[in-house]
Structure formats: C-alpha cells, structure tokens
Amino acid sequence: WAKSGGVEAAKKVEAILDLLEKSKDSKVRPSLRSYSVAIDAWARSGSEFAGKKAEAIFNRMLSASKKNPSLAPNSIVFGGVINAWARCGGEEAAERAEAILKLMEKSKNPNSRANVRAYSATIDAWAKSGSAIAGFRADAILNRMHQRSKQGDTDATPNAVTYGSVVNAWVKSCDGGEEAVQRADDILQLMEERAAQDPTQDRPNTNMYILVRTAWKAL
C-alpha cells in the first residue's frame, strides 16, 4: 500500500499503524519500520495535508520512543517527514521542513544525523515555496552544510542535487530579480571552483546553466 501512492493508500497504511499501536499483544506492536512506512505513504500521497499527517505520525513516534528507545526516529524517518512537507509547497511547508532538519542537526542519536538528502530536500522545499525569501533561506542552509563539511562531516557535503535546488530557489525568489539571478549564477561559479580544487566535487549540469541563462534573458 505504502508505495502505491495516493491518499487512500496513505490512510490504509496509517490505519494499520493505529491498530498496531492499540494492540495489547507484545508481539504485535509497531516497529521503527512501521512508522517509517506510514510517513513515507503520506509523503507519496500527493495530499495537501501530507506534511501535517507525516509530522503527526513522527510526533507519535517520538512519544513512543520515550518508553521504547528502539523507536527513536532515524535519518530515514526524519527525511520522510521533510519530503512530505517539501512536496506540499508553500512557505509554511518550507518552514516546517527546516524545523525538522534543525531537530536532526541537534540530535545526539548517531542514526539520525542530518545528511545531504535531508538538507537537499529542505532546500527543495524552499525552492517550491513561492516565497520571496526562498533564495536567502536556501543559501543559509547551504552555508550550514559547507560549515559542517569543513568540520569533517562528509554526510553534509553538498552534491549536484543540493546546488541545483539552491539555484532553483534563487531563480524563483525575489520575483526573479537581478540580485536573485546573480546569486544563482554565483552558485554555478562556486561549483566550478570547488570541482577545480577537488575532482570528486560535482560540476554544474546543463539544466542548471539553461535555468540561469533563461532567468537572465527574462530580466
């Protein structure tokens, strides 16, 4: 059900989770995977309420983990909630996605460390938000990634998806004004510079260049 997509599928998966939570049989209780699957089902649902539904399940999981530490959310669960919010669109959704990301950053659980997927999904949430401050917020997250990467956290090293989402956020923010497009262009240059210094780093792809050039022409 979880991977079939749609609201009805998400509701059915959550209904099964509800039954597991209410079960008095110690052998039939929800697992970390049970919660993860339910969150992913909502992320795939296409519902405008996907983020709220996924975060509500996440909060139930946090409560349950106080009695059962094995239910503590891992990076996959955190990422699922972020994805659910990212797919909703709008500034509120982007704010909630970033709030979940910050919980990851503060988490002392080694299994729930913020990683490039979570960062990239949060940046994508801002790119889809339609907010005038999307570029600034995406840039701020990218800067946090650079700082963590410099400190030795390789899981936080930006990749092509990350940079592409930042470029997208800038192009779509500030009504695509010159400042926003220039910053998007700067990101491409940054990628080129990092790749020149380290061959393992991603260079801008054709779609990124087309996006920025189209934005310049539209001014």
Side-chain angles (χ1 to χ4, degrees):
W1 284 110
K3 293 185 178 181
S4 62
V7 175
E8 290 306 312
K11 286 181 177 179
K12 288 180 179 180
V13 173
E14 187 173 357
I16 293 172
L17 177 63
D18 290 341
L19 290 175
L20 290 173
E21 287 182 322
K22 293 174 182 177
S23 173
K24 295 182 179 180
D25 185 342
S26 61
K27 296 181 181 180
V28 185
R29 297 291 296 166
S31 63
L32 187 150
R33 179 166 172 73
S34 304
Y35 285 103
S36 181
V37 168
I39 287 170
D40 184 60
W42 278 111
R44 295 170 182 265
S45 70
S47 168
E48 62 181 305
F49 303 111
K52 291 181 179 179
K53 289 287 191 177
E55 189 168 350
I57 294 171
F58 174 78
N59 288 332
R60 281 156 54 183
M61 191 176 185
L62 286 178
S63 296
S65 70
K66 292 178 180 178
K67 292 183 178 180
N68 183 355
S70 70
L71 296 178
N74 59 17
S75 59
I76 294 175
V77 172
F78 275 97
V81 181
I82 290 173
N83 281 329
W85 277 117
R87 292 173 183 176
C88 289
E91 190 168 331
E92 179 188 358
E95 290 282 10
R96 291 310 310 153
E98 187 165 356
I100 298 298
L101 176 66
K102 288 180 178 178
L103 286 179
M104 290 185 81
E105 290 177 323
K106 295 176 182 178
S107 175
K108 295 182 179 180
N109 181 351
N111 295 320
S112 60
R113 292 173 57 189
N115 55 34
V116 65
R117 288 187 178 183
Y119 280 112
S120 298
T122 306
I123 291 171
D124 185 52
W126 278 110
K128 294 175 178 176
S129 69
S131 170
I133 62 171
F136 295 101
R137 296 298 288 270
D139 236 8
I141 295 170
L142 179 63
N143 288 335
R144 299 209 305 268
M145 293 181 75
H146 283 154
Q147 290 172 2
R148 292 174 73 101
S149 182
K150 287 179 181 178
Q151 293 169 356
D153 186 355
T154 56
D155 288 338
T157 301
N159 59 21
V161 174
T162 312
Y163 286 114
S165 293
V166 177
V167 168
N168 201 24
W170 273 116
V171 169
K172 291 181 177 180
S173 68
C174 302
D175 296 321
E178 185 173 347
E179 178 187 0
V181 181
Q182 182 58 62
R183 183 56 189 141
D185 210 335
D186 290 344
I187 295 294
L188 298 185
Q189 295 304 313
L190 174 63
M191 290 184 72
E192 289 286 7
E193 292 170 5
R194 289 172 65 87
Q197 296 172 1
D198 180 358
T200 65
Q201 296 294 311
D202 293 317
R203 290 185 179 277
N205 58 39
T206 302
N207 289 336
M208 291 183 200
Y209 278 114
I210 291 174
L211 181 63
V212 174
R213 286 173 184 170
T214 302
W216 277 121
K217 290 179 180 179
L219 291 177

